[in-house]
């Protein structure tokens, strides 16, 4: 340790000791990149809100729909049953358990989905028969239906003429092509590049090649939903038009418990009605396993965000045991909030979960995507620009989202009365506008305020990713080394001028109940030896190393090119 007047500095107090400054959440990265704490706090809070609005409540509702269709249970009984199993699985497992079980469940889910796809196409008469019969898949109305009360003159219940095309009319399409290409891409920047559920897995990889290989594998798997989910969903409408395509609120309420529409039951309806008994049980188990896995991943990620980015800043001296307990309690809190949000999910966007998820994400996520993208690729972007860009984007997004909640999104025969100035623009087009405005605001404010010195940026921006220069992190507030306590301080919290080493006391044997609670919360009662300085240095070196094996890097890159070519071909084929 050198004196303050010397130009050299203690590496532990700057960016040189990376083992003490490892990034485990996206808010932590942005705090390193821009400095200060307000961006980190904002991103943590908005990410948790997005988890509640678009992930946890939706997954719980989806699982409840499956259980409801299979067993006829009340939707809230189904939700609670699903949550009890998932919470036990999450609380006692952790990220390692999620990664291993996800790997096994992926193969089971894909196999079960292929089986259901085969049964579906066999029942309808083949691939071409689907495109022939889908045009006539419409519900049958009762003769007693009052045309004055129910506005069915617009024939919104008919299958769309552009149902077979991915790229639809830019103005009148339900998924206009500019929004589908650019709007979904903007939402994807948030989800794939900054969502804790995704990046937590990337940061847990052994090396950069493993990260890239995992992303390529996800890309290959993402090619399958068109055939495993979308086309079987269309088949379900052909086979069960009165249930899946219902539009009369009283009928929809009786069929699925939601007056605005029952399109969400299309897939579980196929499973429950079409498949034989043995395979039906297997498929229900597969789908519930997928939803439980998704919920468990979100619980784990949201717990990490809350404990590391919010609670650890409120309670700066919190022990690992306290953080573990707080993380478990936080899971219970967000579960309770999400259950209360389920009625909103049921009624939003005509009861279509896909539209609900994309719309909420379009109102809240584009500012985050803009700041992350500019922060990685534009060195000139600074903390004031990033923060006020986030705040300005949030204000614009909330104006649209609140108006939509107040007026409602309506349904097929009862359109929404939301004013055009708020709800007239398609939510995917709104995402493009919001992203562009945020980028403009970030750049204007950044160029009007002092820039960040380049000594704070090595390995934090793309152009300096291979830099070996010493980085002085902007998030440094104090040295990480604890002070040696005196005997008096150890006993009653007071400080003395003569430090002495604390005498280790024999560990008291805890009773069975306390040990069980500790096991449930993931707290290990056995002492864990501290790593040596050499081990810390080696771990730091491995975390900072982004070098790759040439052979495997080439294999991964070739597969990425192949995967993208296949995706482009499918886009062109179904456009």
């Amino acid at each position: 340790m050198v004196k303050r007047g010397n130009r050299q500095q203690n590496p532990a107090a700057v960016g040189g000791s990376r083992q003490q400054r490892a990034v485990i959440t996206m808010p932590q990265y942005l705090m390193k990149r821009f400095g200060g704490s307000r961006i980190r706090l904002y991103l943590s809070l908005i990410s948790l809100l997005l988890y509640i609005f678009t992930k946890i409540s939706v997954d719980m509702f989806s699982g409840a729909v499956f259980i409801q269709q299979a067993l006829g249970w009340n939707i809230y009984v189904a939700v609670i049953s699903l949550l009890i199993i998932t919470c036990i699985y999450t609380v006692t497992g952790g990220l390692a358990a999620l990664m291993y079980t996800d790997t096994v469940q992926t193969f089971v889910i894909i196999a079960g989905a292929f089986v259901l796809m085969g049964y579906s196409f066999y029942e309808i008469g083949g691939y071409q028969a689907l495109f022939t019969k889908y045009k006539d898949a419409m519900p049958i109305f009762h003769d007693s239906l009052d045309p004055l009360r129910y506005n069915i003159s617009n024939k919104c219940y008919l299958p769309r003429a552009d149902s077979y095309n991915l790229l639809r009319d830019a103005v009148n399409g339900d998924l206009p092509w500019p929004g589908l290409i650019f709007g979904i891409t903007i939402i994807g920047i948030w989800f794939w590049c900054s969502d804790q559920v995704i990046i937590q897995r990337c940061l847990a990889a052994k090396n950069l090649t493993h990260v890239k290989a995992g992303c390529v594998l996800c890309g290959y798997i993402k090619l399958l939903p068109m055939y495993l989910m979308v086309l079987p969903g269309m088949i379900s409408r052909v086979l069960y038009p009165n249930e899946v395509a219902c539009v009369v609120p009283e009928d929809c309420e009786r069929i699925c418990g939601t007056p605005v529409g029952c399109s969400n039951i299309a897939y579980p309806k196929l499973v429950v009605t079409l498949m034989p008994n043995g395979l039906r049980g297997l498929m229900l188990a597969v789908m519930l396993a997928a939803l439980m896995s998704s919920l468990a991943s979100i619980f784990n990620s949201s717990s990490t965000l809350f404990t590391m980015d919010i609670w650890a800043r409120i309670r700066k001296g919190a022990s690992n045991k306290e953080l573990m307990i707080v993380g478990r309690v936080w899971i219970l809190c967000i579960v309770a909030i999400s259950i209360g949000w389920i009625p909103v999910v049921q009624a939003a966007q005509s009861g279509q979960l896909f539209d609900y998820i994309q719309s909420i994400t379009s109102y809240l996520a584009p500012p985050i995507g803009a700041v992350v993208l500019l922060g990685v690729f534009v060195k000139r972007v600074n903390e004031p620009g990033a923060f006020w860009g986030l705040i300005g984007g949030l204000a614009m997004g909330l104006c649209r989202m609140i108006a939509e909640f107040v007026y409602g999104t309506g349904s097929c025969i009862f359109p929404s009365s939301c004013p055009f100035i708020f709800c007239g623009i398609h939510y995917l087009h709104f995402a493009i506008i919001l992203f562009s405005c945020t980028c403009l605001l970030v750049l204007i404010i950044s160029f009007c305020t002092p820039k960040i010195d380049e000594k704070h940026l090595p390995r934090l921006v793309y152009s300096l990713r291979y830099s070996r220069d010493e980085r002085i992190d902007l998030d440094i507030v104090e040295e990480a080394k604890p002070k040696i306590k005196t005997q008096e301080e150890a006993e009653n919290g007071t400080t003395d001028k003569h430090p002495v080493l604390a005498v280790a006391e024999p560990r008291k044997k805890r009773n069975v109940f306390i040990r069980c609670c500790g096991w449930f919360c993931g707290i290990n009662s056995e002492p864990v030896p501290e790593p040596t300085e050499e081990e810390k240095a080696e771990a730091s070196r491995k975390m900072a190393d982004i070098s790759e094996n040439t052979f495997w890097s080439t294999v991964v890159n070739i597969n990425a090119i192949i995967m993208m070519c296949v995706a482009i071909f499918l886009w062109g084929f179904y456009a």
Side-chain angles (χ1 to χ4, degrees):
M1 185 70 172
V2 295
K3 294 182 179 180
R4 184 179 298 272
N6 197 306
R7 297 291 297 175
Q8 296 178 343
Q9 301 182 49
N10 176 21
V14 292
S17 184
R18 296 187 195 96
Q19 73 272 13
Q20 297 179 2
R21 306 295 178 185
V23 173
I24 57 178
T25 65
M26 178 54 70
Q28 285 181 339
Y29 163 74
L30 291 182
M31 189 174 179
K32 281 182 174 292
R33 171 63 177 85
F34 298 114
S37 59
R38 53 184 184 176
I39 292 179
R40 179 178 180 178
L41 180 62
Y42 168 87
L43 190 58
S44 300
L45 292 174
I46 204 70
S47 297
L48 292 173
L49 288 177
L50 281 166
Y51 286 161
I52 293 172
F53 293 159
T54 67
K55 294 180 181 290
I56 300 174
S57 55
V58 169
D59 282 355
M60 288 193 300
F61 176 64
S62 302
V65 168
F66 263 91
I67 297 174
Q68 185 184 47
Q69 288 294 308
L71 304 177
W73 292 0
N74 176 274
I75 190 166
Y76 286 100
V77 174
V79 164
I80 292 172
S81 302
L82 181 67
L83 283 175
I84 290 174
I85 301 173
T86 307
C87 282
I88 294 174
Y89 166 57
T90 307
V91 168
T92 58
L95 181 60
L98 294 177
M99 294 175 72
Y100 285 117
T101 53
D102 280 358
T103 303
V104 176
Q105 288 174 357
T106 297
F107 294 104
V108 179
I109 292 167
I110 293 175
F114 269 111
V115 171
L116 180 60
M117 182 188 69
Y119 272 94
S120 302
F121 278 110
Y122 176 80
E123 183 71 17
I124 202 173
Y127 182 82
Q128 290 299 327
L130 167 62
F131 293 92
T132 303
K133 298 177 181 180
Y134 186 77
K135 292 291 186 182
D136 300 323
M138 63 185 72
I140 299 175
F141 296 105
H142 302 294
D143 295 334
S144 59
L145 188 68
D146 185 2
L148 297 179
R149 181 184 176 190
Y150 301 108
N151 181 24
I152 59 175
S153 58
N154 58 4
K155 297 184 178 181
C156 59
Y157 54 86
L158 294 176
R160 293 182 60 90
D162 55 3
S163 298
Y164 306 148
N165 305 107
L166 283 176
L167 301 181
R168 302 176 181 179
D169 188 86
V171 178
N172 300 318
D174 59 336
L175 291 174
W177 70 263
L180 198 64
I181 293 177
F182 301 107
I184 292 290
T185 300
I186 290 169
I187 296 174
I189 292 173
W190 166 76
F191 182 76
W192 295 107
C193 302
S194 62
D195 183 18
Q196 182 67 16
V197 176
I198 302 300
I199 66 170
Q200 184 165 281
R201 284 158 169 73
C202 293
L203 293 175
K206 292 182 177 180
N207 53 54
L208 186 60
T209 304
H210 283 208
V211 175
K212 292 162 65 175
C215 294
V216 172
L217 178 60
C218 286
Y220 277 121
I221 295 175
K222 273 292 185 180
L223 298 175
L224 300 178
M226 170 67 75
Y227 304 98
L228 300 184
M229 298 176 65
V230 176
L231 296 182
M234 295 173 69
I235 293 174
S236 184
R237 171 163 180 154
V238 174
L239 297 178
Y240 318 108
N242 292 329
E243 292 88 356
V244 175
C246 74
V247 292
V248 179
E250 292 80 3
D251 292 341
C252 295
E253 183 77 32
R254 173 179 52 83
I255 293 167
C256 64
T258 305
V260 294
C262 291
S263 60
N264 294 325
I265 71 168
Y267 203 83
K269 184 72 175 177
L270 277 181
V271 175
V272 173
T273 308
L274 197 60
M275 300 188 77
N277 289 335
L279 290 176
R280 183 189 310 162
L282 174 64
M283 194 60 194
L284 285 172
V286 164
M287 295 309 300
L288 288 177
L291 291 167
M292 284 175 53
S293 174
S294 178
L295 275 174
S297 300
I298 299 163
F299 288 162
N300 191 279
S301 300
S302 62
S303 174
T304 303
L305 273 177
F306 182 79
T307 55
M308 301 306 297
D309 292 324
I310 297 178
W311 189 261
R313 299 194 65 79
I314 298 174
R315 292 265 302 167
K316 295 185 182 298
S319 64
N320 289 335
K321 179 187 292 188
E322 179 181 339
L323 294 177
M324 293 287 287
I325 295 173
V326 168
R328 269 47 175 179
V329 174
W330 171 249
I331 291 176
L332 299 179
C333 294
I334 59 174
V335 162
I337 297 171
S338 300
I339 291 176
W341 191 256
I342 286 179
V344 179
V345 178
Q346 287 181 288
Q349 296 293 337
S350 301
Q352 299 181 37
L353 283 180
F354 175 83
D355 286 335
Y356 166 78
I357 295 170
Q358 300 302 322
S359 62
I360 297 298
T361 310
S362 297
Y363 307 149
L364 298 178
I368 302 175
V371 169
V372 170
L373 196 67
L374 291 174
V376 171
F377 291 102
V378 182
K379 293 192 293 184
R380 187 60 179 80
V381 173
N382 59 14
E383 195 273 347
F387 177 74
W388 291 111
L390 289 171
I391 296 300
L394 177 65
M396 291 179 60
L398 287 178
C399 288
R400 169 66 183 264
M401 189 174 77
I402 292 173
E404 202 167 87
F405 284 154
V406 170
Y407 290 97
T409 53
S411 62
C412 173
I413 59 178
F414 292 116
S416 173
S417 58
C418 183
F420 180 85
I421 190 173
F422 291 113
C423 306
I425 301 174
H426 194 277
Y427 60 82
L428 291 178
H429 287 165
F430 182 83
I432 300 173
I433 297 172
L434 182 56
F435 180 83
S436 303
C437 291
T438 302
C439 287
L440 188 62
L441 183 60
V442 169
L443 292 173
I444 290 175
I445 296 177
S446 294
F447 278 95
C448 292
T449 50
K451 68 177 182 178
I452 298 175
D453 197 301
E454 194 162 311
K455 66 183 179 182
H456 302 301
L457 300 179
R459 298 174 300 281
L460 292 178
V461 294
Y462 186 79
S463 59
L464 300 176
R465 64 191 183 281
Y466 294 119
S467 174
R468 295 295 180 183
D469 295 341
E470 188 72 17
R471 183 180 72 238
I472 303 177
D473 284 334
L474 290 168
D475 63 337
I476 297 298
V477 292
E478 61 181 4
E479 294 185 9
K481 291 184 178 181
K483 297 180 180 179
I484 301 176
K485 291 186 177 181
T486 65
Q487 184 69 37
E488 184 181 355
E489 183 182 1
E491 292 176 356
N492 53 29
T494 60
T495 304
D496 191 82
K497 295 181 180 180
H498 305 287
V500 297
L501 294 177
V503 179
E505 297 182 0
R507 187 167 54 90
K508 296 180 180 180
K509 188 175 181 180
R510 302 184 300 175
N511 61 44
V512 176
F513 176 76
I514 295 177
R515 281 185 289 174
C516 290
C517 291
W519 170 81
F520 185 79
C521 292
I523 300 171
N524 186 7
S525 60
E526 297 297 327
V528 179
E530 286 290 329
T532 63
E533 291 299 325
E534 292 76 11
E535 291 173 338
K536 291 181 180 180
E538 179 63 16
S540 175
R541 186 192 64 79
K542 288 182 178 180
M543 281 192 292
D545 185 16
I546 59 173
S547 61
E548 298 182 77
N549 180 282
T550 305
F551 173 77
W552 289 113
S553 176
T554 304
V555 171
V556 171
N557 292 338
I558 291 174
N559 273 274
I561 294 172
I562 295 173
M563 180 268 295
M564 288 189 290
C565 290
V566 174
I568 293 172
F569 168 77
L570 292 176
W571 267 97
F573 184 79
Y574 289 105

